[in-house]
Amino acid sequence: MSLEKIIPKDWGLINLSELTSLITKGTTPTTNGFSYLEDGVNFVKVESILSNGSFIPSKFAHVSDDCHDSFKRSQLNEGDILFTIAGALGRSAIVESYMLPANTNQAVAIIRLKNLKNKEYIFHYLRGDYVKNLIEKINVSTAQANLSLGQINKFKIPLPPFKEQQKIANILSTVDDKIEIINQQITE
């Protein structure tokens, strides 16, 4: 079913690219003559992003300052939304200050919003069923699961008034927190 038919009349429906100042992806250091290091600048890969939207810092790779400085396109900013586009598709997380400086590789898209006030809503929307179903439709016939930056730019985003965005994001964040507590209790 199309989004136009199911969203309230007072909501907008726009391409993700209209909300962003940048949608790009990273670069692999070894392709450009750099090596991974035991310590250094954080390098975020698909396997360091969980499906619940959190990071596994112990799975960050590391690169030199020179590598970080030469890969301007893949440098992360606080508030960027990362979205996995190869391998495990559709995992997303929000870059936090503790991670920086950091870069990412070509399997992870960097979504830099024009206005960070939308980030929680957009983050949750990208993790939702509509985007998951869209990804499945896009990748039905491909052997290697991947998404292009062009496809991500065209993701349709239902845009309620800002106060509703906040309410939706708060509710979904509360649900995520409760799920995390339950998972911790199960682990214990």
Side-chain angles (χ1 to χ4, degrees), residues 78-80 112-120 162:
E78 184 176 0
D80 285 348
R112 189 162 295 149
L113 299 173
K114 292 177 190 172
N115 189 338
L116 288 179
K117 73 179 187 176
N118 300 84
K119 79 177 175 197
E120 294 292 331
F162 180 65

Side-chain angles (χ1 to χ4, degrees), residues 3 22 27 31 37 45 48 59 63 80 90 107 121 174-175 179 181:
L3 284 173
L22 176 74
T27 306
T31 304
L37 306 172
K45 297 179 171 185
S48 46
K59 297 231 179 192
V63 296
D80 285 348
Y121 173 77
T174 300
V175 169
I179 290 170
I181 290 168

Side-chain angles (χ1 to χ4, degrees), residues 28-36 63-71:
T28 299
T30 54
T31 304
N32 293 291
F34 294 99
S35 299
Y36 291 109
V63 296
S64 67
D65 288 332
D66 287 343
C67 178
H68 171 71
D69 291 341
S70 70
F71 289 172

Side-chain angles (χ1 to χ4, degrees), residues 52 54 120 123-124 127 169-185:
N52 70 1
S54 61
E120 294 292 331
F123 163 72
H124 284 291
R127 294 178 59 223
N170 287 338
I171 290 167
L172 294 173
S173 291
T174 300
V175 169
D176 284 347
D177 292 344
K178 290 185 189 234
I179 290 170
E180 184 61 28
I181 290 168
I182 291 168
N183 287 338
Q184 287 174 357
Q185 289 172 340

Side-chain angles (χ1 to χ4, degrees), residues 91-163:
R91 292 182 187 174
S92 55
I94 298 173
V95 175
E96 299 177 40
S97 61
Y98 79 87
M99 306 167 54
L100 301 175
N103 289 75
T104 191
N105 68 7
Q106 75 278 4
V108 180
I110 303 166
I111 300 169
R112 189 162 295 149
L113 299 173
K114 292 177 190 172
N115 189 338
L116 288 179
K117 73 179 187 176
N118 300 84
K119 79 177 175 197
E120 294 292 331
Y121 173 77
I122 301 301
F123 163 72
H124 284 291
Y125 180 75
L126 291 173
R127 294 178 59 223
D129 288 341
Y130 185 82
V131 171
K132 286 178 186 172
N133 291 334
L134 182 62
I135 290 169
E136 285 178 23
K137 287 178 188 172
I138 290 170
N139 280 287
V140 159
S141 63
T142 60
Q144 170 73 22
N146 62 61
L147 292 168
S148 72
L149 296 178
Q151 290 166 322
I152 293 170
N153 273 288
K154 293 178 185 172
F155 280 177
K156 293 290 186 193
I157 307 293
L159 210 56
F162 180 65
K163 288 195 184 285

Side-chain angles (χ1 to χ4, degrees), residues 7-71:
I7 64 171
K9 300 248 184 269
D10 64 333
W11 290 23
L13 184 63
I14 63 175
N15 288 337
L16 179 59
S17 62
E18 295 177 63
L19 296 171
T20 64
S21 61
L22 176 74
I23 297 179
T24 191
K25 61 183 177 178
T27 306
T28 299
T30 54
T31 304
N32 293 291
F34 294 99
S35 299
Y36 291 109
L37 306 172
E38 289 294 319
D39 200 16
V41 175
N42 288 327
F43 196 85
V44 181
K45 297 179 171 185
V46 172
E47 57 269 20
S48 46
I49 303 172
L50 290 172
S51 59
N52 70 1
S54 61
F55 292 100
I56 309 170
S58 64
K59 297 231 179 192
F60 291 165
H62 298 93
V63 296
S64 67
D65 288 332
D66 287 343
C67 178
H68 171 71
D69 291 341
S70 70
F71 289 172

